[in-house]
Amino acid sequence: MVGRRLRELREKNGLIQKDIANLLSVTTSAYGYYEQGKNDIDTNTLIFLSDYYNVSTDYMLGRTDIPVPIETFLQDKQVDEKLNDLIEEISNSKNLKFNNKQMNTQTRNFLIKMITNTCDIAGEINSIVSDNSKKK
């Protein structure tokens, strides 16, 4: 599985084996053996390439089909909390500016409503996509 994922990621990024071999300071044949599954990739190289391609090592190993590293996933999970913090900040701050002008109450309320509605819509879309992926 590692070899297949290495090749898939390399090709997806428009690279040739020589590019990755140079990056790893190995011969093109040595890298090619990783992709062919003739040689096992060492842990440090696996981690390096996972970071390079911004995918998880579990994805590289074939333990998941979700390429996103857990750190990114966890950061993304917090988007709703960050937006709620922003809404609270807009609600509580009296000296906000928009386009270098003092923000009036009407603009502030409109902005809060817009962010709230966007969060609601994103949540609904996320639920639909999750439900659909569970059905597959």
Side-chain angles (χ1 to χ4, degrees), residues 6 9 13 20 23-24 41 43-60 67-72:
L6 287 171
L9 289 165
N13 285 278
I20 303 302
L23 184 68
L24 299 175
I41 193 165
T43 304
N44 289 334
T45 303
L46 179 72
I47 292 169
F48 176 83
L49 288 173
S50 293
D51 289 344
Y52 179 77
Y53 290 122
N54 195 33
V55 298
S56 69
T57 53
D58 278 349
Y59 177 78
M60 296 283 280
V68 179
I70 191 68
E71 297 82 20
T72 303

Side-chain angles (χ1 to χ4, degrees), residues 58-69:
D58 278 349
Y59 177 78
M60 296 283 280
L61 294 168
R63 295 184 61 188
T64 182
D65 289 329
I66 301 169
V68 179

Side-chain angles (χ1 to χ4, degrees), residues 20-32:
I20 303 302
N22 289 340
L23 184 68
L24 299 175
S25 299
V26 297
T27 65
T28 304
S29 333
Y31 176 75

Side-chain angles (χ1 to χ4, degrees), residues 87-109:
I87 290 169
E88 188 174 326
E89 184 178 334
I90 292 169
S91 297
N92 296 331
S93 181
K94 302 299 178 202
N95 295 316
L96 289 177
K97 291 187 176 184
F98 189 79
N99 288 337
N100 293 324
K101 295 179 185 170
Q102 189 71 29
M103 187 184 295
N104 61 38
T105 303
Q106 185 179 6
T107 303
R108 179 193 320 263
N109 291 339

